[in-house]
Amino acid sequence: WVCGNWEGLTVLGRMEIVHVYTRLRGEFGRQCLFSDRPAELLVDVPPDPRLAQDFIQKNPRDQALQACRDMSEHQVNTERFESDSCGINHVEGGWPKDINPQEMEQTIRYRKKVEKDESYVNSLLTLGSVMEHCIRQNNAVDIYQEYFEDEDEVEESPEPPSAKTINVFRDPNEVKRTVSCLSWHPDGGKLAAAYSCLQFQRSSRDMSLDSYIWDIENPNRPELTLKPASPLVCLEYNPKDSHTLVGGAYNGQIAYWDTRRGSQPVETSSVEQSHRDPVYKIIWLQSKTGTDVFSASTDGQVLWWDVRRLSEPTERLVLDLSREGNLDRALGAVSLEFESTMPTKFLVGTEQGVVVSCNRKAKTPAEKIVCSYDGHHGPVYALQRNPFFPKNFLTVGDWTARIWSEDIRDSAIMWTKYQTSYLMDACWSPVRPSVFFTVKMDGVLDVWDILFKQNDPTLSLKVCDEALYSLRLQDNGRLVACGSQQGGATLLEISSGLSTLQKNDKSLLAAMFERETKREKVLEARQREIRLKERSRSEQSREGEPGREDADHGPDQLIAKAQEDFYVVTEMERRRRDANQQPPTELEDVDVT
Amino acid sequence: MAEVEETLKRIQSQNGVQGIIIVNTEGIPIKTTLDNASTVQYAGLIHQLVMKARSTVRDIDPQNDLTFLRVRSKKNEIMIAPDKDYFLIVIQNPSD
């Protein structure tokens, strides 16, 4: 502040304090003269409480202060780093640091050191013994071997073979006739039965001539009646056409039916051209037209027919073994066998117990008869080839059933023992090669399984009280129909054990047949040898002593001797029977030499 | 020392034995009858397998321990007898 005399003005309100300083021009440059003077109040601004209302008081007040450097925060994402996990096969691992694995010497030295270590020796001895045990175990037995892996189906049904009757179809007529033949419908749902009275001159006037076709589900009424001119002895369905049947009648005629056309035969063969005796068997042949049949009868003829033209047979064969076609000397045919796999050959079973094998396609009639098999004492009522082994056939006649091999002429290769009653019919099972069925005059159905038991039937069933005359198996091997003397056809079902093919059946049976055939061949050869020897011996002796041998073996002496032997044997039998009160199971063969 | 040799010889003479390897816990083959490459391969792989097997057995039951390991394949069988410090590996072809 520079003091001086002035006339100043104070302006309040704008708080502007102005101080004017004046000086004369002439006094410029003069030195300043300072003097003291007491303080002078220039301005006094008192507080204005009214201004406090413009403000809000805030008490206490928090204020953070930091005395440090300023920093800033910032986030950044770097580029992705790919990582992968994989193993490394260490070539040489674990070597202690001081040993260089590449150096052979060092490693060998290290190894040797370890080997000398005691703990090594001890542990290795124990390990060695453990290991040896396991090694030996491996060598002894293959512990992972599959046992019984082939035989997981070994449920060899332990159930005993059985059969149960399903239905009985009875002859609806008053006068009962024998069921002489049965034939299954190719699809199996129907059964054709031929009824006739086979006993000589036993048929009465009011005996019905009809034969019936039964539906196996309905035993009360036959499905269809077949009305021939004369009772039918045999009847066959056509395996190719299930609507047609052919039947052979008691008077020797052949009749042809079509089930769609009703009960009357469509055609019947003419009486002059047919057989002169009852037609015992008729079989359909395999031919392109499917209309060929052939029939056999006890008049000694085998006739071939075409069913479209039954007026006369297409071919004729006389069963004369001397091959001369002489009807007087012909053998009466009772059964016939034809196998479709061998269409030119067929077998005929005769009343005389001889089975004749014939060839249809032979050039001359004489050659048609190929050979004969002599084995039965009575008529050969049934004849059938084994469906699996056509070279072997089954024949039934007298009290035995015999199995033959085509190659052996002199005797059967296998036969059953003599049964207590006459066997009337037999057939092989179509599913099991070793099983066959026979029916007997005492009403018993026997099931034989030659792989299981050869002395006795595997199953023996009494079907009815009267004699059973015919038997037929259905193609599935489970259903059996047998016909009785009083006109009842019984339908049975065989247990599965006998009607399912077992794995080894065929091979075992083939082996058996071969064995038996070989045995017979050997026997035949031996017989031939003996005969040759005898002949040569007899020739020699004849030179020495002429006449003596002939006298000893004249026919009368032979007959007398035979008679004597016969009486002796029967006497023995009778005595034995009285002693045991039991029927003998075997008749002894009377050897006539 | 000689007994060890004898044991190994006996094992080697058994039917079907193709090779023997003795390995220590670090995976170093101590003694072997096979060639080096196979030995090293077997040693490395089987070592891991035994460790795993042993840990498995012990995890399931800590009181239990691995006594023997058999690996049966189509062509042969690898038998491993483990111990605290060493394993004995035998490769056998069970001929029966």
PDB file of all heavy atoms in Angstrom, chain A residues 264-277:
ATOM      1  N   GLN A 264     -68.097-143.121 -57.550  1.00  0.00           N
ATOM      2  CA  GLN A 264     -67.975-144.174 -58.546  1.00  0.00           C
ATOM      3  C   GLN A 264     -66.620-144.083 -59.218  1.00  0.00           C
ATOM      4  O   GLN A 264     -66.107-142.986 -59.417  1.00  0.00           O
ATOM      5  CB  GLN A 264     -69.072-144.022 -59.613  1.00  0.00           C
ATOM      6  CG  GLN A 264     -70.465-144.236 -59.080  1.00  0.00           C
ATOM      7  CD  GLN A 264     -70.659-145.690 -58.663  1.00  0.00           C
ATOM      8  OE1 GLN A 264     -70.016-146.591 -59.191  1.00  0.00           O
ATOM      9  NE2 GLN A 264     -71.542-145.912 -57.716  1.00  0.00           N
ATOM     10  N   PRO A 265     -66.070-145.202 -59.559  1.00  0.00           N
ATOM     11  CA  PRO A 265     -64.779-145.123 -60.245  1.00  0.00           C
ATOM     12  C   PRO A 265     -64.928-144.457 -61.597  1.00  0.00           C
ATOM     13  O   PRO A 265     -65.938-144.617 -62.268  1.00  0.00           O
ATOM     14  CB  PRO A 265     -64.344-146.586 -60.401  1.00  0.00           C
ATOM     15  CG  PRO A 265     -65.562-147.396 -60.173  1.00  0.00           C
ATOM     16  CD  PRO A 265     -66.498-146.594 -59.353  1.00  0.00           C
ATOM     17  N   VAL A 266     -63.914-143.686 -61.933  1.00  0.00           N
ATOM     18  CA  VAL A 266     -63.928-143.033 -63.229  1.00  0.00           C
ATOM     19  C   VAL A 266     -63.819-144.081 -64.329  1.00  0.00           C
ATOM     20  O   VAL A 266     -64.455-143.998 -65.365  1.00  0.00           O
ATOM     21  CB  VAL A 266     -62.762-142.031 -63.300  1.00  0.00           C
ATOM     22  CG1 VAL A 266     -62.633-141.454 -64.677  1.00  0.00           C
ATOM     23  CG2 VAL A 266     -62.960-140.947 -62.271  1.00  0.00           C
ATOM     24  N   GLU A 267     -62.983-145.073 -64.033  1.00  0.00           N
ATOM     25  CA  GLU A 267     -62.827-146.133 -65.030  1.00  0.00           C
ATOM     26  C   GLU A 267     -62.456-147.427 -64.330  1.00  0.00           C
ATOM     27  O   GLU A 267     -61.761-147.395 -63.301  1.00  0.00           O
ATOM     28  CB  GLU A 267     -61.720-145.740 -66.009  1.00  0.00           C
ATOM     29  CG  GLU A 267     -61.870-146.397 -67.355  1.00  0.00           C
ATOM     30  CD  GLU A 267     -60.711-146.064 -68.278  1.00  0.00           C
ATOM     31  OE1 GLU A 267     -60.172-144.950 -68.133  1.00  0.00           O
ATOM     32  OE2 GLU A 267     -60.362-146.923 -69.084  1.00  0.00           O
ATOM     33  N   THR A 268     -62.903-148.504 -64.876  1.00  0.00           N
ATOM     34  CA  THR A 268     -62.539-149.825 -64.351  1.00  0.00           C
ATOM     35  C   THR A 268     -61.995-150.651 -65.496  1.00  0.00           C
ATOM     36  O   THR A 268     -62.463-150.526 -66.631  1.00  0.00           O
ATOM     37  CB  THR A 268     -63.774-150.550 -63.771  1.00  0.00           C
ATOM     38  OG1 THR A 268     -64.545-149.604 -63.062  1.00  0.00           O
ATOM     39  CG2 THR A 268     -63.373-151.653 -62.834  1.00  0.00           C
ATOM     40  N   SER A 269     -61.034-151.474 -65.187  1.00  0.00           N
ATOM     41  CA  SER A 269     -60.461-152.287 -66.265  1.00  0.00           C
ATOM     42  C   SER A 269     -61.442-153.391 -66.653  1.00  0.00           C
ATOM     43  O   SER A 269     -62.297-153.784 -65.862  1.00  0.00           O
ATOM     44  CB  SER A 269     -59.143-152.893 -65.809  1.00  0.00           C
ATOM     45  OG  SER A 269     -59.386-153.772 -64.736  1.00  0.00           O
ATOM     46  N   SER A 270     -61.285-153.849 -67.839  1.00  0.00           N
ATOM     47  CA  SER A 270     -62.204-154.897 -68.312  1.00  0.00           C
ATOM     48  C   SER A 270     -61.848-156.221 -67.659  1.00  0.00           C
ATOM     49  O   SER A 270     -60.695-156.510 -67.382  1.00  0.00           O
ATOM     50  CB  SER A 270     -62.093-155.025 -69.834  1.00  0.00           C
ATOM     51  OG  SER A 270     -60.738-155.207 -70.185  1.00  0.00           O
ATOM     52  N   VAL A 271     -62.887-157.020 -67.402  1.00  0.00           N
ATOM     53  CA  VAL A 271     -62.685-158.255 -66.647  1.00  0.00           C
ATOM     54  C   VAL A 271     -61.773-159.221 -67.386  1.00  0.00           C
ATOM     55  O   VAL A 271     -60.955-159.914 -66.795  1.00  0.00           O
ATOM     56  CB  VAL A 271     -64.045-158.918 -66.333  1.00  0.00           C
ATOM     57  CG1 VAL A 271     -63.847-160.205 -65.573  1.00  0.00           C
ATOM     58  CG2 VAL A 271     -64.902-157.963 -65.515  1.00  0.00           C
ATOM     59  N   GLU A 272     -61.897-159.240 -68.725  1.00  0.00           N
ATOM     60  CA  GLU A 272     -61.104-160.239 -69.465  1.00  0.00           C
ATOM     61  C   GLU A 272     -59.631-159.935 -69.388  1.00  0.00           C
ATOM     62  O   GLU A 272     -58.789-160.835 -69.386  1.00  0.00           O
ATOM     63  CB  GLU A 272     -61.504-160.265 -70.946  1.00  0.00           C
ATOM     64  CG  GLU A 272     -62.990-160.380 -71.214  1.00  0.00           C
ATOM     65  CD  GLU A 272     -63.673-159.046 -71.153  1.00  0.00           C
ATOM     66  OE1 GLU A 272     -63.082-158.029 -71.584  1.00  0.00           O
ATOM     67  OE2 GLU A 272     -64.790-159.005 -70.634  1.00  0.00           O
ATOM     68  N   GLN A 273     -59.309-158.651 -69.384  1.00  0.00           N
ATOM     69  CA  GLN A 273     -57.896-158.302 -69.456  1.00  0.00           C
ATOM     70  C   GLN A 273     -57.234-158.200 -68.103  1.00  0.00           C
ATOM     71  O   GLN A 273     -56.024-158.040 -68.016  1.00  0.00           O
ATOM     72  CB  GLN A 273     -57.739-156.940 -70.162  1.00  0.00           C
ATOM     73  CG  GLN A 273     -58.198-156.944 -71.589  1.00  0.00           C
ATOM     74  CD  GLN A 273     -57.300-157.814 -72.443  1.00  0.00           C
ATOM     75  OE1 GLN A 273     -56.144-158.037 -72.120  1.00  0.00           O
ATOM     76  NE2 GLN A 273     -57.863-158.328 -73.517  1.00  0.00           N
ATOM     77  N   SER A 274     -58.035-158.243 -67.030  1.00  0.00           N
ATOM     78  CA  SER A 274     -57.433-158.044 -65.711  1.00  0.00           C
ATOM     79  C   SER A 274     -56.915-159.346 -65.155  1.00  0.00           C
ATOM     80  O   SER A 274     -56.895-160.372 -65.828  1.00  0.00           O
ATOM     81  CB  SER A 274     -58.466-157.471 -64.751  1.00  0.00           C
ATOM     82  OG  SER A 274     -59.201-156.486 -65.354  1.00  0.00           O
ATOM     83  N   HIS A 275     -56.596-159.263 -63.904  1.00  0.00           N
ATOM     84  CA  HIS A 275     -56.110-160.462 -63.218  1.00  0.00           C
ATOM     85  C   HIS A 275     -57.248-161.441 -62.982  1.00  0.00           C
ATOM     86  O   HIS A 275     -58.409-161.075 -62.988  1.00  0.00           O
ATOM     87  CB  HIS A 275     -55.536-160.069 -61.850  1.00  0.00           C
ATOM     88  CG  HIS A 275     -54.282-159.269 -61.938  1.00  0.00           C
ATOM     89  ND1 HIS A 275     -53.064-159.830 -62.158  1.00  0.00           N
ATOM     90  CD2 HIS A 275     -54.074-157.938 -61.817  1.00  0.00           C
ATOM     91  CE1 HIS A 275     -52.140-158.871 -62.161  1.00  0.00           C
ATOM     92  NE2 HIS A 275     -52.732-157.720 -61.958  1.00  0.00           N
ATOM     93  N   ARG A 276     -56.856-162.639 -62.721  1.00  0.00           N
ATOM     94  CA  ARG A 276     -57.873-163.662 -62.476  1.00  0.00           C
ATOM     95  C   ARG A 276     -58.023-163.979 -61.015  1.00  0.00           C
ATOM     96  O   ARG A 276     -58.793-164.803 -60.615  1.00  0.00           O
ATOM     97  CB  ARG A 276     -57.503-164.937 -63.231  1.00  0.00           C
ATOM     98  CG  ARG A 276     -57.336-164.634 -64.656  1.00  0.00           C
ATOM     99  CD  ARG A 276     -57.799-165.720 -65.577  1.00  0.00           C
ATOM    100  NE  ARG A 276     -57.453-165.290 -66.927  1.00  0.00           N
ATOM    101  CZ  ARG A 276     -56.320-165.634 -67.532  1.00  0.00           C
ATOM    102  NH1 ARG A 276     -55.475-166.441 -66.938  1.00  0.00           N
ATOM    103  NH2 ARG A 276     -56.061-165.163 -68.740  1.00  0.00           N
ATOM    104  N   ASP A 277     -57.241-163.342 -60.217  1.00  0.00           N
ATOM    105  CA  ASP A 277     -57.271-163.558 -58.784  1.00  0.00           C
ATOM    106  C   ASP A 277     -57.284-162.187 -58.136  1.00  0.00           C
ATOM    107  O   ASP A 277     -57.038-161.193 -58.823  1.00  0.00           O
ATOM    108  CB  ASP A 277     -56.010-164.316 -58.354  1.00  0.00           C
ATOM    109  CG  ASP A 277     -56.243-165.810 -58.249  1.00  0.00           C
ATOM    110  OD1 ASP A 277     -57.405-166.241 -58.374  1.00  0.00           O
ATOM    111  OD2 ASP A 277     -55.253-166.525 -58.024  1.00  0.00           O
TER     112      ASP A 277
END
